[in-house]
Amino acid sequence: MIVARPRSADGLGYATAVCTAGESVGDLVYVSGAKIGADYQVRKADVTDVAKMPAVAVIIQKISATRAVLQFQGETSLYTGLTPGHVYWVSDSGVPTSAPPTVTSGQRKYLQIVGVATDSARIRLQFEKDLKTRVG
């Protein structure tokens, strides 16, 4: 379950971004294009498409339908039901998951660690840059 706890951008791992109305608070995002002014362009990460990886941030607040605040690192309390000490990955649905996405025959997925749960409601974000490929 995602619980929105918006914070203001303070220059320490936070930034504003242009996104689509389809991206939501809690989504893990990749950089989809060049900056527009001071805003990053982002879209939801997709483990089935290397062009839509790696995830670099999480949306922590929607300013409008197409603008968001991103968090790149540090602890976030957007999620509940986490297992402390567990490593979290980018899931098939573009949010953190406690197990790497599985593949079926003929599939290819790009695996990325997002961070580690520090308690049942916080993840310490530390996006790995290197993707691991899993082929079914």
Side-chain angles (χ1 to χ4, degrees):
M1 176 178 176
I2 297 175
V3 180
R5 294 189 186 3
R7 300 183 198 169
S8 356
D10 65 3
L12 299 174
Y14 300 90
T16 53
V18 175
C19 58
T20 68
E23 277 83 40
S24 303
V25 170
D27 285 348
L28 302 170
V29 295
Y30 71 98
V31 175
S32 61
K35 277 186 164 182
I36 299 173
D39 291 344
Y40 287 92
Q41 288 188 71
V42 298
R43 300 290 180 270
K44 186 188 282 195
D46 180 351
V47 297
T48 65
D49 186 346
V50 72
K52 296 179 181 178
M53 293 288 285
V56 296
V58 62
I59 294 177
I60 62 167
Q61 181 180 14
K62 288 290 287 245
I63 300 166
S64 70
T66 58
R67 288 198 67 229
V69 176
L70 307 177
Q71 182 177 351
F72 292 93
Q73 62 186 358
E75 273 194 357
T76 187
S77 56
L78 290 173
Y79 310 99
T80 60
L82 305 172
T83 303
H86 230 83
V87 171
Y88 281 78
W89 302 77
V90 179
S91 72
D92 288 328
S93 59
V95 297
T97 184
S98 61
T102 58
V103 296
T104 58
S105 181
Q107 276 190 320
R108 178 183 302 262
K109 293 189 180 175
Y110 302 92
L111 311 181
Q112 180 188 16
I113 293 175
V114 172
V116 176
T118 56
D119 67 31
S120 65
R122 288 189 192 92
I123 293 179
R124 175 98 176 130
L125 298 173
Q126 191 168 5
F127 293 91
E128 282 195 356
K129 303 272 189 270
D130 295 325
L131 302 176
K132 296 163 183 58
T133 305
R134 182 175 277 179
V135 179

